[in-house]
Amino acid sequence: FEYVAEWRFGGDGRIRLDNEMMPFGDVPTLPRVGVFLRLDGALENMEYYGRGPWENMIDRSTGCDIARWKSTVTDQYVAYIRPQDCGGKSDVRWVEFTDPADGKGVRIESDEPFFLQALHFTREDLDQARHRPGEPRRYNPLRPRNGTVLTIDCRQTGLGCNNCGPEPLPPYRFAIGRTEWSHVLFPCESGYGTIHNADGQKTKIGLRASTAR
């Protein structure tokens, strides 16, 4: 791959990240295309407009409504028997991560709906926690990192059931080719409006937020 990232910094605190990916040669099926970012550990509160409240994927999302959801980064982790990739959200329009102490943080928007994952673990942390079939037995207790490992994807391949059956159906795969996508990051404060908590109940909160899309 050839990957180009252009960062533009505005006087109002906005940061625009324009991405371009250009594959060449024989490229296998990709599970995802996107970027990794690290956020300060103080930005624990998470609010977003997209599918929720449970984890969902492009082919596992019909049971998750598109709404405004409020949770925490800690609660995004799903404790499977074998630690693995989890907590993803699809059809996200925007997300805010804020400090519970003062409500200040960062808001991220994109030119089109995106896939979001925010955890206190890296993929290496999850993968090395337990052994795979055929490997020597191991158990490394997970220790949350003091920070958020943020993944923002513009493309994802569905889950299918390839572990024990067919691959994802064609509508849930993406063609590998030149891909462009953008994100805008800017300062924000916790906002007003009706949000949906993880239990599905609606709650009114105050608005001091930056402009919403």
Side-chain angles (χ1 to χ4, degrees), residues 154-191:
C154 66
R155 301 286 186 272
Q156 278 191 358
T157 296
L159 292 176
C161 51
N162 200 27
N163 285 335
C164 57
E167 295 181 349
L169 296 174
Y172 306 118
R173 308 178 201 176
F174 61 89
I176 299 173
R178 182 172 177 269
T179 305
E180 295 179 316
W181 70 102
S182 300
H183 314 294
V184 178
L185 302 83
F186 51 92
C188 72
E189 295 186 49
S190 298

Side-chain angles (χ1 to χ4, degrees), residues 130-205:
R130 297 294 296 270
H131 59 280
R132 294 181 179 274
E135 295 180 345
R137 295 180 62 86
R138 69 171 181 270
Y139 172 62
N140 299 315
L142 287 172
R143 294 180 175 83
R145 292 177 177 265
N146 183 24
T148 295
V149 180
L150 177 63
T151 305
I152 303 175
D153 292 332
C154 66
R155 301 286 186 272
Q156 278 191 358
T157 296
L159 292 176
C161 51
N162 200 27
N163 285 335
C164 57
E167 295 181 349
L169 296 174
Y172 306 118
R173 308 178 201 176
F174 61 89
I176 299 173
R178 182 172 177 269
T179 305
E180 295 179 316
W181 70 102
S182 300
H183 314 294
V184 178
L185 302 83
F186 51 92
C188 72
E189 295 186 49
S190 298
Y192 272 108
T194 299
I195 59 90
H196 292 71
N197 295 309
D199 60 2
Q201 299 297 313
K202 294 182 179 180
T203 303
K204 293 289 184 180
I205 57 176

Side-chain angles (χ1 to χ4, degrees), residues 60-172:
R60 296 287 190 278
S61 62
T62 55
C64 297
D65 293 332
I66 296 179
R68 188 172 179 176
W69 301 98
K70 183 178 181 181
S71 186
T72 63
V73 175
T74 297
D75 286 344
Q76 299 308 297
Y77 175 68
V78 181
Y80 290 108
I81 294 176
R82 186 188 191 282
Q84 57 192 277
D85 207 27
C86 62
K89 304 294 189 295
S90 63
D91 287 325
V92 176
R93 275 63 171 177
W94 56 262
V95 61
E96 292 181 352
F97 296 94
T98 55
D99 187 335
D102 59 15
K104 296 181 179 180
V106 62
R107 179 183 176 106
I108 303 172
E109 298 180 355
S110 182
D111 293 341
E112 62 180 37
F114 56 92
F115 301 91
L116 169 72
Q117 183 188 56
L119 297 170
H120 287 307
F121 309 102
T122 65
R123 282 188 176 79
E124 292 75 17
D125 293 336
L126 299 173
D127 190 59
Q128 295 299 316
R130 297 294 296 270
H131 59 280
R132 294 181 179 274
E135 295 180 345
R137 295 180 62 86
R138 69 171 181 270
Y139 172 62
N140 299 315
L142 287 172
R143 294 180 175 83
R145 292 177 177 265
N146 183 24
T148 295
V149 180
L150 177 63
T151 305
I152 303 175
D153 292 332
C154 66
R155 301 286 186 272
Q156 278 191 358
T157 296
L159 292 176
C161 51
N162 200 27
N163 285 335
C164 57
E167 295 181 349
L169 296 174
Y172 306 118

